[in-house]
Amino acid sequence: MSFTNFKTNECLAVNADEIEQQARKRLAEINALIALKMRTLQKTPDGTLRVTHSNNSVQYYHRIKPADHTGIYIPAAKKDFAMQLAQKDYDKKVIASAKNESKILTGFLRAYSLLFKNNSLVEKIFQKIHKSRQILVKPVRLSDEEFAAHWQALKYKKDFMPKNQNHLTAKGEVVRSKSEILIADTLNRMNIPYHYEFPIKLLRENGTKTTFHPDFLCLNRRTRKEFLWEHFGRMDDKDYAIQTVSKLQLFAHNKIFPGKNLITTMETSDHPLNTRQIQELAEEFLM
């Protein structure tokens, strides 16, 4: 979801970071499964299970050696032993399949590192040509820095006039509160692109559209994903808290959810916002 509808020549764009994240997660799960099953196999009895069907009944046999095609009959009273052998056979097949998948994923991640880390091989062609030639060429995809610079340069009209003109950020922006100064200055210090009160269109539950001005619209330059950042600064005020719930419901109606494309901070008079909270959230979602 793009709040700015900012578009460039992105014909080769791919959410490579999300793909890598999912691949690494799956690889970790597969390797953990292999380790677990290998430990389990060490505790299982020797031999394999042979299953036969006779007169609508199932019979189980314990084969100790591969050359033993018949095996020793396992009576019903020792069904748990048959279950151990069946589980062993199943686990060995799981391990073999998991090892193959692990090998494939490992190879994929090596290729990913070559193709997508620090831009793909195709995208590096533009970076390698001379600056005087670059100005004549339209690249297939902007670098992360170029994309962020173009995004940051978006022009928009600010429709508010704060009562307190002394709430200035390090960049000289006028904001509404000291807490917003903390957020803006932290984002600026961390080199995270943002727009203050950038207008976005939201749909109300009755079907009408409204223009909303979030406290901050931020860009993760690595993933090129946009996040709203809303600060709720008077949560010990009952009326303000009710308004906050309404605002979050409006966000949810527009598929804007905390942790997905929304960052929220809150404070009360007894629990003020601090820079450490801001930085941790910025590192989690915007770096």
Side-chain angles (χ1 to χ4, degrees):
M1 179 179 184
S2 173
F3 298 106
T4 60
N5 293 319
F6 175 63
K7 290 180 173 62
T8 59
N9 187 18
E10 294 288 288
C11 65
L12 291 184
V14 61
N15 195 343
D17 289 287
E18 184 174 340
I19 294 172
E20 182 199 23
Q21 184 180 17
Q22 291 299 319
R24 291 194 182 282
K25 179 181 178 182
R26 178 63 178 176
L27 180 60
E29 291 173 348
I30 287 294
N31 287 339
L33 176 65
I34 293 171
L36 174 63
K37 292 300 184 183
M38 291 292 287
R39 289 195 299 270
T40 302
L41 282 183
Q42 294 175 0
K43 302 176 183 179
T44 56
D46 293 334
T48 59
L49 180 71
R50 173 173 169 257
V51 182
T52 65
H53 299 80
S54 177
N55 297 324
N56 294 323
S57 66
V58 180
Q59 295 178 336
Y60 303 111
Y61 294 85
H62 180 201
R63 297 174 56 197
I64 300 176
K65 297 180 180 180
D68 180 9
H69 298 292
T70 303
I72 302 171
Y73 175 70
I74 303 174
K78 293 186 177 182
K79 188 177 180 179
D80 286 348
F81 182 71
M83 292 176 64
Q84 292 180 51
L85 292 173
Q87 186 68 44
K88 175 184 176 182
D89 291 342
Y90 169 77
D91 287 348
K92 290 176 72 173
K93 291 177 181 178
V94 166
I95 290 171
S97 180
K99 284 183 175 180
N100 186 48
E101 184 173 341
S102 178
K103 182 179 179 180
I104 293 171
L105 286 169
T106 301
F108 164 78
L109 288 168
R110 288 199 191 100
Y112 166 89
S113 181
L114 174 65
L115 291 174
F116 292 108
K117 289 294 187 182
N118 301 317
N119 294 323
S120 74
L121 299 178
V122 171
E123 292 159 352
K124 285 183 178 179
I125 294 174
F126 181 78
Q127 299 172 12
K128 291 179 180 179
I129 64 177
H130 195 275
K131 296 292 184 183
S132 59
R133 186 177 290 269
Q134 284 183 353
I135 62 176
L136 304 174
V137 174
K138 186 176 183 181
V140 294
R141 188 171 188 247
L142 297 175
S143 69
D144 291 346
E145 292 303 317
E146 291 167 330
F147 183 92
H150 281 71
W151 186 90
Q152 188 69 80
L154 288 173
K155 302 297 183 182
Y156 62 100
K157 182 180 179 182
K158 296 183 179 180
D159 295 331
F160 78 97
M161 185 61 66
K163 297 179 181 179
N164 191 340
Q165 296 289 315
N166 294 322
H167 288 150
L168 289 175
T169 69
K171 292 168 62 175
E173 299 169 305
V174 180
V175 295
R176 296 182 185 273
S177 67
K178 293 180 179 179
S179 293
E180 289 185 345
I181 293 176
L182 285 179
I183 296 172
D185 286 351
T186 301
L187 294 174
N188 184 48
R189 175 174 53 81
M190 298 175 70
N191 197 29
I192 295 172
Y194 72 87
H195 294 296
Y196 182 69
E197 296 209 348
F198 187 97
I200 63 173
K201 296 291 185 181
L202 296 180
L203 190 66
R204 297 187 183 277
E205 290 188 10
N206 62 10
T208 61
K209 290 184 178 181
T210 183
T211 299
F212 181 78
H213 297 81
D215 295 335
F216 298 91
L217 176 63
C218 307
L219 176 72
N220 183 320
R221 67 176 70 230
R222 179 176 56 83
T223 63
R224 308 191 180 192
K225 181 177 178 180
E226 295 172 344
F227 287 83
L228 300 187
W229 189 315
E230 278 292 291
H231 178 63
F232 303 109
R234 293 185 286 119
M235 292 303 292
D236 43 2
D237 183 309
K238 181 179 179 181
D239 292 336
Y240 182 90
I242 293 174
Q243 292 175 5
T244 297
V245 172
S246 297
K247 186 180 291 186
L248 291 173
Q249 288 176 337
L250 176 63
F251 286 164
H253 184 66
N254 287 268
K255 307 301 181 184
I256 302 171
F257 300 106
K260 179 182 177 183
N261 47 12
L262 173 64
I263 302 169
T264 61
T265 45
M266 299 182 182
E267 66 179 322
T268 66
S269 55
D270 293 332
H271 298 87
L273 182 67
N274 62 67
T275 305
R276 182 172 62 90
Q277 291 175 282
I278 301 169
Q279 181 165 330
E280 288 177 349
L281 285 168
E283 289 173 347
E284 178 68 23
F285 297 106
L286 300 173
M287 298 295 288

